[in-house]
Amino acid sequence: MRKYTMHDTVQLALLIRQTCLTLCHTKNASHLGGAFSVADIMAVLYGHSLEHNPQQPRMPERDRLFYSKGHACTALYSALAHSGYFPVEQLLNEFTENGSFFTSHVNHHVPGVELSTGSLGHALGVAAGVTLAGERRHKDYRVYAILSDGELDEGSNWEAILFAGHHHLSRLTMVIDYNKIQSFGHVEDVLGLEPLADKLTAFGWAVAEVDGHDHEALKTVFSMATSQPLAVIAHTVKGKGVSFMENQLAWHYKSPKHDEYALALAELGGAQP
């Protein structure tokens, strides 16, 4: 199967961030910090590692991506738009509008979206089930689940992690966007996860820790072959790409106003998507 690649992944990540910024500004939307932290991961997946074709979003042999951190929907919508699933202009015009499928949490009616998400802790279980079904039917597709770090507070994720390890789901990759900040504070203060790698290993997963903004490192880890499910702990920065947003809890919620938008856009290259 041919990989569908439209962009150099670094350029794609920039486009994703520019579009997320514009969506959150023009529609008074939030969760920009988490969208920025995962942008490089999404760019590498859609620009390099996934087997997919936007002209055939439901082709049976496609890789499946389940985007569990549905509150940061702008990153997924932007990645899909810049990969050709629908026009960027359509996303910019219709996002959060009454009756639109481009809702403020991920909506499965959007082309390229596998599952509606936003209620945290659900997507990994679905991803594990889809992986098991594919393996039992001798299908070649891979399954990816993108989780936030704060989402690991949800017990349902650990049930899915236990299930996947038990069944040796080697075609499943879980990517944790580990930006260290969740909705009410720093992860280590709200509910500490460490030693995270040791916990995942104990549950029967292969584990790789990586800089979640290093595209070459991400490409390498996404190409790993293991006999176990693979957990990628991607160390990221909340608000990555805009200096005054980086590592700031406020940008979990804030919408950039006019001056903030102009400053952020300038840091991202000064061009609207």
Side-chain angles (χ1 to χ4, degrees):
M1 191 192 337
R2 178 179 64 85
K3 280 187 171 63
Y4 188 92
T5 303
M6 283 194 65
H7 296 285
D8 170 83
T9 59
V10 174
Q11 177 64 20
L12 180 54
L14 177 61
L15 292 170
I16 290 170
R17 285 190 172 93
Q18 290 172 340
T19 304
C20 291
L21 177 68
T22 298
L23 288 170
C24 289
H25 169 64
T26 59
K27 304 294 185 175
N28 198 32
S30 56
H31 303 301
L32 187 56
F36 278 6
S37 66
V38 80
D40 295 294
I41 294 166
M42 303 305 289
V44 170
L45 285 169
Y46 280 96
H48 178 270
S49 300
L50 284 179
E51 302 279 6
H52 71 117
N53 189 333
Q55 275 68 58
Q56 300 178 58
R58 306 301 294 179
M59 66 180 186
E61 64 270 30
R62 73 191 183 282
D63 288 343
R64 277 74 167 162
L65 186 146
F66 293 90
Y67 188 81
S68 197
K69 46 178 291 176
H71 54 288
C73 62
T74 56
L76 176 59
Y77 292 162
S78 298
L80 291 169
H82 288 290
S83 296
Y85 282 85
F86 42 82
V88 176
E89 294 75 14
Q90 181 185 6
L91 173 60
L92 293 171
N93 290 333
E94 296 182 11
F95 181 57
T96 69
E97 292 298 313
N98 188 33
S100 171
F101 289 141
F102 294 106
T103 50
S104 61
H105 286 64
V106 169
N107 189 328
H108 71 277
H109 291 289
V110 172
V113 174
E114 300 286 347
L115 180 73
S116 295
T117 56
S119 182
L120 299 176
H122 294 172
L124 183 60
V126 176
V130 169
T131 307
L132 181 62
E135 291 190 354
R136 290 187 172 179
R137 295 169 181 168
H138 307 289
K139 303 297 183 181
D140 290 332
Y141 62 76
R142 294 197 61 84
V143 180
Y144 296 81
I146 312 297
L147 278 69
S148 61
D149 47 9
E151 184 177 0
L152 290 177
D153 297 354
E154 301 281 355
S156 54
N157 282 316
W158 293 96
E159 294 177 17
I161 290 167
L162 183 66
F163 175 90
H166 173 78
H167 288 285
H168 306 285
L169 300 182
S170 61
R171 302 192 70 78
L172 173 63
T173 297
M174 170 177 62
V175 186
I176 300 167
D177 177 19
Y178 201 3
N179 63 38
K180 318 298 189 299
I181 297 175
Q182 59 188 100
S183 58
F184 295 115
H186 287 83
V187 169
E188 64 180 7
D189 296 326
V190 176
L191 191 61
L193 298 175
E194 297 298 339
L196 181 56
D198 291 344
K199 291 172 183 176
L200 294 169
T201 299
F203 274 66
W205 287 60
V207 179
E209 297 197 55
V210 66
D211 179 346
H213 305 300
D214 183 332
H215 287 225
E216 294 308 312
L218 289 167
K219 291 173 186 177
T220 298
V221 77
F222 291 148
S223 68
M224 287 177 58
T226 70
S227 60
Q228 305 160 272
L230 173 62
V232 178
I233 301 175
H235 294 279
T236 61
V237 175
K238 193 100 167 183
K240 177 68 175 180
V242 174
S243 59
F244 62 86
M245 296 182 182
E246 291 186 356
N247 288 315
Q248 297 299 312
L249 172 62
W251 289 102
H252 188 87
Y253 299 103
K254 284 182 67 175
S255 173
K257 305 311 178 189
H258 181 75
D259 290 346
E260 294 167 325
Y261 175 66
L263 288 170
L265 192 61
E267 289 196 29
L268 295 174
Q272 294 190 32

